[in-house]
Amino acid sequence: METFQYWSASDLDDLEQRYRVNLVNSLSGFKSANLIGTIDPAGVTNLAIVSSVVHLGASPPLIAFINRPDTVERHTLDNLAATGWFTVNQVNVDCWQQAHQTSARYPRAVSEFEPTGLTAEFSETCPAPYVAESRLRYACQVVEEQRLAVNGTVMVIGRIAELQIAGGAVGRDGYVDIEALGTVAVSGLDSYHRTRRLGRLSYAKPGAPARRID
Amino acid sequence: METFQYWSASDLDDLEQRYRVNLVNSLSGFKSANLIGTIDPAGVTNLAIVSSVVHLGASPPLIAFINRPDTVERHTLDNLAATGWFTVNQVNVDCWQQAHQTSARYPRAVSEFEPTGLTAEFSETCPAPYVAESRLRYACQVVEEQRLAVNGTVMVIGRIAELQIAGGAVGRDGYVDIEALGTVAVSGLDSYHRTRRLGRLSYAKPGAPARRID
């Protein structure tokens, strides 16, 4: 019998602010680590690490990410409003520390590519920059933005317009072995993890336990 | 110099459907694995594994998850509409196969707790069931639902009303060591992974590389 720590709603309200931020950021479970690349009309590039990219649908191919309320300066949201394009670049074991550094508050005129040493790469499809160090990356056009009534958070929805994956990672059924690509996971605000596969399971059906398919 | 596979928007459109579903579900990166617990007005419990729980804010403590369009029978959404409550239960290395099995299409009258062998547990705060096997779990009240115009997907936003975490996992700064709890990550539709920490990094500031804080 395990012992549990317990918090009521008012216990959570009473926590010291920084403690609560760390605690609540741990509750969703492991999160994705992606760099969002954008560009402003003057050609200044921007990179921002986000842990909130989620799958929305495959037909058409859609993803979404959450941006904090734009009550402070939000270079990514401003660039999206101006250009309508962004790239998503999975963070891997070889660039996770540089990726984290993009969360520092650089002035608007500074591209995060410079101080972090990450490399911008461009395609003919998308004006926003890719991250050359990423092994799975794609370009999106903004199709919808939702401001959530509850706390002013903005959800950006993008349609995938171009996809690039380092060779050998895509299986015959379309599954991408992102573990083999060295993609990392995040917990809380600041902890980075690599992964070890437990297994792939077949499509679940009533009456029969799912079997291993890896 | 790595070789990349490349897909344009029309290449993606032309993919065989199952292949595209696997491919696009891999693009967001590692995802969280959580069981959403609900109950209907007659007392029938429901469990659904979701990989789309995201953090929305700490003050007040809010999370969100994405539900597929409710054009087919969606027991979770119906129960939320009827009761307004759900639990979120992190999936761990000791119950990931049972958790996956909840995605089978059981009839409405069947509680997923029975065929999967997972154990329902109740608190005084929340009518929806917890999963006893989960080591980090919380109860939420629905505060907002957003139907996304682009594909009919529903985003459910919940405010955390109660939190339970197995002893010893919460650090002095509020960070929860979900790796120590055995929490798993998901890639694609069906691959489960445990994790190994690379490191925690300090709050990033311009001009100074973030240092390790673990």
Side-chain angles (χ1 to χ4, degrees):
Chain A
M1 182 70 190
E2 279 177 303
T3 315
F4 279 74
Q5 282 185 268
Y6 175 93
W7 294 260
S8 68
S10 65
D11 292 339
L12 292 171
D13 287 344
D14 291 345
L15 293 173
E16 184 271 318
Q17 194 225 340
R18 197 74 206 156
Y19 187 100
R20 181 173 56 229
V21 167
N22 280 319
L23 183 73
V24 180
N25 266 282
S26 302
L27 300 185
S28 56
F30 286 104
K31 301 183 264 199
S32 57
N34 288 286
L35 286 162
I36 304 291
T38 56
I39 194 164
D40 77 9
V44 179
T45 55
N46 188 277
L47 273 184
I49 189 164
V50 302
S51 61
S52 59
V53 172
V54 290
H55 170 84
L56 273 195
S59 311
L62 297 168
I63 60 97
F65 70 95
I66 306 287
N67 231 74
R68 288 162 62 190
D70 52 2
T71 48
V72 296
E73 213 174 82
R74 294 289 169 209
H75 304 161
T76 298
L77 286 179
D78 293 344
N79 292 350
L80 290 176
T83 73
W85 282 93
F86 63 98
T87 67
V88 180
N89 306 266
Q90 285 190 3
V91 175
N92 61 51
V93 293
D94 296 320
C95 64
W96 61 282
Q97 287 164 299
Q98 293 161 290
H100 181 79
Q101 187 62 28
T102 65
S103 61
R105 292 198 186 183
Y106 294 105
R108 188 179 290 273
V110 173
S111 165
E112 283 77 8
F113 281 106
E114 288 161 39
T116 62
L118 292 165
T119 313
E121 202 171 283
F122 292 89
S123 82
E124 287 179 11
T125 302
C126 171
Y130 283 109
V131 177
E133 287 79 1
S134 174
R135 302 190 189 108
L136 188 162
R137 55 206 190 200
Y138 44 101
C140 295
Q141 272 191 292
V142 178
V143 292
E144 189 175 337
E145 275 193 17
Q146 288 267 358
R147 185 173 306 269
L148 306 178
V150 72
N151 70 349
T153 301
V154 176
M155 183 170 60
V156 177
I157 302 175
R159 180 176 177 146
I160 299 169
E162 182 178 63
L163 169 63
Q164 304 176 5
I165 305 180
V170 184
R172 276 181 302 179
D173 64 353
Y175 170 76
V176 186
D177 189 348
I178 64 172
E179 181 164 288
L181 293 175
T183 298
V184 302
V186 177
S187 69
L189 283 170
D190 52 30
S191 185
Y192 296 85
H193 307 254
R194 60 181 314 164
T195 62
R196 186 160 57 79
R197 180 171 288 104
L198 290 160
R200 287 187 70 191
L201 295 177
S202 60
Y203 190 82
K205 291 177 181 169
R211 58 194 165 71
R212 294 281 294 272
I213 57 171
D214 51 334
Chain B
M1 183 70 189
E2 278 175 304
T3 314
F4 279 75
Q5 282 185 268
Y6 175 94
W7 295 261
S8 67
S10 65
D11 293 339
L12 292 171
D13 287 344
D14 291 345
L15 294 173
E16 183 271 318
Q17 194 225 340
R18 197 73 205 155
Y19 187 99
R20 182 174 55 229
V21 166
N22 280 320
L23 183 73
V24 179
N25 266 281
S26 302
L27 301 186
S28 56
F30 286 105
K31 302 183 263 200
S32 57
N34 289 286
L35 286 162
I36 304 291
T38 56
I39 194 163
D40 78 7
V44 179
T45 55
N46 188 277
L47 272 185
I49 190 166
V50 303
S51 61
S52 59
V53 173
V54 290
H55 170 83
L56 273 194
S59 312
L62 297 168
I63 60 97
F65 70 95
I66 306 287
N67 231 74
R68 289 163 61 189
D70 52 2
T71 48
V72 297
E73 213 173 80
R74 296 288 168 207
H75 305 161
T76 298
L77 286 179
D78 293 344
N79 292 350
L80 291 178
T83 72
W85 282 93
F86 63 99
T87 67
V88 180
N89 306 268
Q90 285 190 3
V91 175
N92 61 52
V93 293
D94 296 320
C95 64
W96 62 283
Q97 287 165 298
Q98 293 161 290
H100 181 80
Q101 187 62 27
T102 65
S103 62
R105 291 197 186 186
Y106 295 104
R108 189 179 289 272
V110 173
S111 166
E112 285 76 7
F113 281 106
E114 287 161 39
T116 63
L118 292 166
T119 313
E121 201 172 283
F122 293 89
S123 82
E124 288 180 11
T125 302
C126 171
Y130 284 108
V131 176
E133 287 79 1
S134 174
R135 302 189 190 107
L136 189 161
R137 55 206 191 200
Y138 44 102
C140 295
Q141 272 191 291
V142 177
V143 292
E144 190 176 337
E145 274 195 17
Q146 288 267 358
R147 185 173 307 269
L148 306 178
V150 73
N151 70 347
T153 301
V154 176
M155 182 169 60
V156 177
I157 302 174
R159 179 174 177 148
I160 299 170
E162 181 177 65
L163 169 64
Q164 302 176 5
I165 304 179
V170 184
R172 276 182 301 180
D173 64 353
Y175 170 76
V176 186
D177 189 349
I178 64 173
E179 180 164 288
L181 293 175
T183 298
V184 301
V186 177
S187 69
L189 282 171
D190 52 30
S191 185
Y192 296 84
H193 307 255
R194 60 181 314 166
T195 62
R196 187 161 56 80
R197 180 170 288 105
L198 291 160
R200 286 187 69 192
L201 294 177
S202 60
Y203 189 80
K205 292 178 180 168
R211 58 195 165 69
R212 295 282 294 275
I213 57 170
D214 52 331

